[in-house]
Structure formats: C-alpha cells, structure tokens
C-alpha cells in the first residue's frame, strides 16, 4: 500500500431490510503515502448475488477495469449517479468504471452452468478499448450485445479472447 495502488475486499454481507444495501465488493485506492483517495462500491442487493473479480486494472485514462464472474442478476456496480445493473443469472463480466466510480459499462457473457464461464484477464488498449481473455466449459453467446456469436468448447474447458470498444461494444471475439 505504501507504494500506492488499489486493493479489493471481497466479502458477503447478508442484506437486512433496514439497511439500504449490502456491500459485496469495495475497491479502495491509495496514494503513494497510503492515504485513501477513492472508494468504489459494487453492491449486491439480494441474497445469492455475488461478484468475484479475477483481474482489476487501470486504463490509460485512469478508469478501473474489472474482469471476473457474476452470479445472480441485480448487482449494482459503481457509484451514483451512474450505476450499471447486472442482468444475467451467471457468467463472465467486464466492467469499466470512471475514476469517480461511476459505471461506464458492464459487458456480460451469460453462461448456462455455474462457474463454466469466467473472464480471467483484462488489458487496457489504446483508444479506450479493452482486451479480455477467459475460459468456458459450455456453449455460450460470446457477444455481450444484441448480436449472437456462439462459441463451443473444444474440450472440457476452452479459452476465448476478444476486444471491447470504449463503451463496451464487442469488436471481435475468438
């Protein structure tokens, strides 16, 4: 922490009706002196909703990039006033948050079988694009948008990779 950077705390707190939300993931950013500079909340409003980050990075504009696995729809990601809300039951995700924690996009890759599709790595590219890599064990639609690109694993598990544009639109996937 003394050298600066980020840390994420992964914990599950069960929601209580008197509490407006339950924190599922916090991204804390510290300066080189160890002072807290940013706090970003990823909120799980319902029992059984969880977000498991596998990779967190900064892009060239200081935005957070997060890749991982989500289980349960309705996970609110980012700080107000611009939140993103997950819609898939389970699968891989790529999330882009502004330095203030406001959500720029969430790209979701729905899986059919629990833990059969995970985004395991992300890398910022030029022009705000994001490269991602993951693995999958069941056929799935590899286009997080309205299009359909079906991928089928060649064995028990297979890898896939792709690039998203600056707003989370799919450029390509293989």
């Amino acid at each position: 922490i003394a050298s600066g950077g980020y840390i994420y705390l992964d914990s599950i707190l069960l929601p209580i009706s008197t509490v407006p939300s339950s924190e599922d993931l916090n991204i804390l950013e510290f300066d080189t002196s160890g002072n807290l500079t940013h706090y970003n909340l990823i909120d799980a409003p319902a029992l059984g909703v969880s977000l498991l980050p596998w990779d967190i990075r900064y892009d060239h504009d200081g935005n957070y990039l997060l890749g991982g696995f989500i289980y349960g729809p309705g996970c609110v990601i980012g700080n107000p006033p611009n939140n993103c809300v997950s819609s898939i039951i389970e699968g891989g995700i790529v999330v882009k948050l502004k330095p203030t924690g406001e959500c720029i996009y969430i790209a979701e890759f729905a899986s059919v079988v629990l833990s059969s599709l995970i985004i395991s790595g992300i890398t910022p590219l030029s022009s705000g694009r994001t490269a991602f890599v993951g693995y999958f064990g069941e056929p799935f639609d590899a286009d997080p948008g309205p299009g359909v690109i079906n991928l089928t694993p060649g064995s028990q598990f297979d890898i896939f990779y792709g690039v998203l544009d600056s707003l989370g639109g799919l450029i390509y996937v293989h």
Side-chain angles (χ1 to χ4, degrees):
I1 305 264
S3 64
Y6 61 83
I7 191 170
Y8 67 87
L9 309 173
D10 189 11
S11 62
I12 298 174
L13 302 175
L14 300 179
I16 301 171
S17 60
T18 58
V19 178
S21 65
S22 63
E23 298 171 13
D24 190 45
L25 174 73
N26 300 300
I27 301 172
L28 308 176
E29 182 182 356
F30 299 88
D31 64 17
T32 55
S33 299
N35 300 311
L36 181 67
T37 58
H38 290 91
Y39 172 89
N40 298 298
L41 172 66
I42 297 177
D43 183 36
L47 180 63
V49 174
S50 61
L51 175 70
L52 304 172
W54 282 64
D55 199 2
I56 300 174
R57 304 205 181 232
Y58 290 112
D59 71 6
H60 305 289
D61 297 320
N63 298 310
Y64 295 104
L65 298 171
L66 184 147
F69 174 80
I70 195 162
Y71 178 78
C75 186
V76 179
I77 301 174
N79 290 336
N82 295 321
N83 303 107
C84 293
V85 179
S86 66
S87 62
I88 62 174
I89 294 174
E90 60 190 54
I93 61 162
V94 177
V95 178
K96 188 174 191 177
L97 300 169
K98 293 180 181 179
T100 59
E102 295 175 61
C103 188
I104 298 171
Y105 69 75
I106 177 172
E108 301 175 298
F109 302 88
S111 64
V112 178
V113 178
L114 181 61
S115 299
S116 69
L117 192 158
I118 294 175
I119 302 296
S120 55
I122 51 176
T123 300
L125 302 173
S126 62
S127 303
R129 297 174 300 153
T130 302
F132 62 89
V133 64
Y135 66 89
F136 64 108
E138 298 288 330
F140 77 103
D141 175 8
D143 187 342
V148 176
I149 300 173
N150 291 314
L151 291 183
T152 301
S155 60
Q156 184 176 358
F157 279 97
D158 212 340
I159 63 167
F160 69 106
Y161 62 93
V163 173
L164 301 171
D165 66 23
S166 63
L167 297 176
L170 184 68
I171 296 174
Y172 68 84
V173 65
H174 298 285

